[in-house]
């Protein structure tokens, strides 16, 4: 992989700006196009209206050539649809207004220009409030976060910023190193993609502990996060998820340790075990409904394909 990154920054009160220009090349030995190049400009502007209220906006312009991951995913779905339903992807969801093009195209301005961050921040002594399109992430596991029902897996692209979600997030400090977060989030304002999440966190000596609960009309999830340091760093993240789409609940676990070696700025060695009970030892028995991608099986488009 080859990467050129040019950071840009400018500061002037009450407006500050930072951003970067990036060009990236990657190669993946797999079926389909094996190479990909990306050119991207991303800029963040923060406007402070007062000591309590500020606005942040992040426009992004990007162009990509070569491998198209979404198209590869569509081709991957074709086979189980043909085997189970005897029809292709287009026939299965022909009544839905989804883009099923398997090749990358630029048809409108939003294919190039996006606004991944746009939110208002209100900071008071009693609480902090953030309203708008923002990144949401919690959990102590590396890459795999079972307690985050909105989790986005960036294992293959760890440098990538998280997708912005429309949300209202309130952070309320409590007594004795305790904190409560309340989050209402949605993806593209679709009803069944909206979640209410509560996160209670506290510190016990050298251990951070949090309890997480998320729910909507289709799913409910309860999780626990533990992270501490006892000569080696350790973390345990576990969750149990109930869904109307599957008969049995889904259990998830991410647990690991790391150790820092004092070489230069610090060399960190880490290992993690992750488990997800929605899998099967034989792919032909896999319950696709337990992992339906939101992009395909939105409740606004019924009936659902049953794979």
């Amino acid at each position: 992989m080859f990467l050129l990154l040019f950071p840009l920054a400018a500061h002037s009160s009450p407006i500050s700006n930072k951003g970067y220009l990036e060009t990236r090349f990657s190669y993946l030995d797999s079926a389909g196009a094996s190479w990909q190049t990306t050119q991207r400009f991303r800029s963040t502007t923060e406007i402070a209206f007062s000591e309590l209220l500020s606005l942040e906006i992040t426009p992004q312009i990007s162009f990509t050539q070569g491998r198209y991951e979404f198209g590869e995913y569509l081709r991957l779905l074709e086979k189980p649809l043909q085997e189970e339903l005897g029809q292709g992807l287009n026939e299965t969801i022909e009544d839905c207004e989804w883009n099923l093009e398997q090749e990358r195209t630029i048809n409108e301005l939003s294919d190039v220009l996006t606004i991944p961050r746009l939110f208002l921040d209100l900071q008071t002594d009693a609480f902090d409030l953030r309203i708008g399109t923002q990144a949401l992430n919690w959990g102590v596991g590396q890459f795999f976060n079972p307690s985050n029902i909105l989790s986005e897996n960036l294992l293959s692209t760890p440098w990538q910023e998280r997708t912005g979600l429309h949300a209202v997030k309130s952070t309320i400090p409590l007594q004795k190193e305790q904190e409560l977060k309340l989050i209402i989030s949605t993806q593209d304002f679709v009803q069944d993609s909206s979640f209410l999440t509560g996160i209670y966190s506290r510190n016990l000596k050298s251990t951070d502990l949090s309890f997480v609960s998320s729910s909507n009309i289709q799913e409910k999830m309860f999780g626990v996060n533990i992270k501490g340091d006892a000569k080696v760093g350790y973390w345990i993240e576990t969750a149990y998820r109930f869904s109307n789409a599957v008969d049995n609940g889904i259990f998830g676990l991410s647990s690991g340790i790391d150790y820092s070696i004092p070489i230069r700025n610090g060399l960190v060695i880490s290992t993690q075990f992750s488990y997800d009970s929605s899998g099967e030892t034989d792919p032909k028995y896999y319950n696709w409904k337990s992992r339906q991608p939101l992009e395909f099986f939105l409740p606004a488009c019924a009936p659902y394909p049953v794979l």
Side-chain angles (χ1 to χ4, degrees):
M1 177 180 294
F2 179 69
L3 169 67
L4 288 176
L5 188 65
F6 302 95
L8 307 171
H11 302 281
S12 61
S13 182
I15 301 176
S16 62
N17 183 267
K18 61 183 178 180
Y20 60 85
L21 289 168
E22 173 191 66
T23 180
R24 186 183 300 275
F25 172 80
S26 60
Y27 176 83
L28 180 65
D29 185 13
S30 66
S34 57
W35 62 274
Q36 185 182 88
T37 58
T38 301
Q39 304 82 41
R40 184 167 62 151
F41 169 69
R42 187 179 177 110
S43 175
T44 297
T45 300
E46 182 177 351
I47 304 173
F49 301 111
S50 67
E51 293 183 356
L52 301 179
L53 185 65
S54 64
L55 171 70
E56 183 172 306
I57 180 170
T58 303
Q60 176 176 284
I61 301 174
S62 62
F63 298 91
T64 303
Q65 304 82 36
R67 183 176 179 83
Y68 183 38
E69 292 88 350
F70 189 67
E72 297 292 333
Y73 192 45
L74 289 175
R75 285 187 280 271
L76 179 65
L77 283 179
E78 285 282 0
K79 184 177 179 181
L81 281 171
Q82 290 286 357
E83 292 178 350
E84 299 296 329
L85 300 180
Q87 59 190 35
L89 188 60
N90 287 303
E91 295 95 353
T92 304
I93 53 179
E94 60 184 355
D95 295 329
C96 303
E97 297 180 357
W98 293 328
N99 181 5
L100 301 180
E101 296 184 18
Q102 297 187 10
E103 301 297 332
R104 183 183 288 105
T105 58
I106 298 177
N107 299 318
E108 51 192 36
L109 182 61
S110 60
D111 293 331
V112 177
L113 173 63
T114 57
I115 309 294
R117 303 285 186 274
L118 176 59
F119 55 81
L120 276 171
D121 267 339
L122 175 64
Q123 298 178 325
T124 70
D125 293 336
F127 64 90
D128 293 341
L129 185 66
R130 176 169 292 183
I131 305 173
T133 306
Q134 55 190 282
L136 294 174
N137 183 50
W138 58 84
V140 296
Q142 296 182 353
F143 300 109
F144 301 98
N145 300 111
S147 72
N148 186 354
I149 208 162
L150 308 171
S151 182
E152 181 180 13
N153 192 320
L154 300 179
L155 179 61
S156 61
T157 55
W159 58 82
Q160 180 179 315
E161 294 91 349
R162 294 188 176 273
T163 301
L165 298 175
H166 313 301
V168 177
K169 180 176 69 174
S170 177
T171 303
I172 306 169
L174 305 175
Q175 297 179 350
K176 297 181 179 179
E177 299 184 311
Q178 302 175 59
E179 181 183 82
L180 177 64
K181 290 184 179 179
L182 299 175
I183 304 168
I184 301 174
S185 61
T186 183
Q187 182 171 3
D188 297 329
F189 301 105
V190 177
Q191 182 182 9
D192 284 8
S193 72
S194 302
F195 284 94
L196 173 62
T197 301
I199 306 173
Y200 168 76
S201 305
R202 69 168 303 164
N203 179 268
L204 297 173
K205 296 184 178 179
S206 61
T207 303
D208 294 325
L209 175 67
S210 67
F211 299 92
V212 184
S213 177
S214 296
S215 66
N216 71 356
I217 62 175
Q218 292 288 335
E219 290 188 76
K220 292 180 176 58
M221 187 276 301
F222 302 95
V224 178
N225 289 274
I226 302 172
K227 186 174 184 179
D229 189 359
K231 294 187 178 179
V232 297
Y234 63 89
W235 61 89
I236 301 172
E237 179 176 351
T238 183
Y240 198 80
R241 183 179 302 187
F242 307 87
S243 173
N244 295 339
V246 293
D247 296 330
N248 300 319
I250 299 172
F251 175 73
L253 170 70
S254 287
S255 179
I257 58 173
D258 62 19
Y259 183 73
S260 178
I261 301 175
I263 299 177
R264 298 179 65 85
N265 292 328
L267 173 65
V268 178
I269 300 175
S270 66
T271 183
Q272 176 175 286
F273 169 80
S274 295
Y275 173 77
D276 188 324
S277 68
S278 69
E280 290 285 354
T281 55
D282 190 328
K284 70 180 181 181
Y285 296 121
Y286 186 76
N287 185 348
W288 288 78
K289 291 188 293 182
S290 66
R291 283 297 184 188
Q292 286 179 344
L294 185 61
E295 295 87 348
F296 295 109
F297 306 109
L298 295 177
C301 189
Y304 298 160
V306 180
L307 303 183

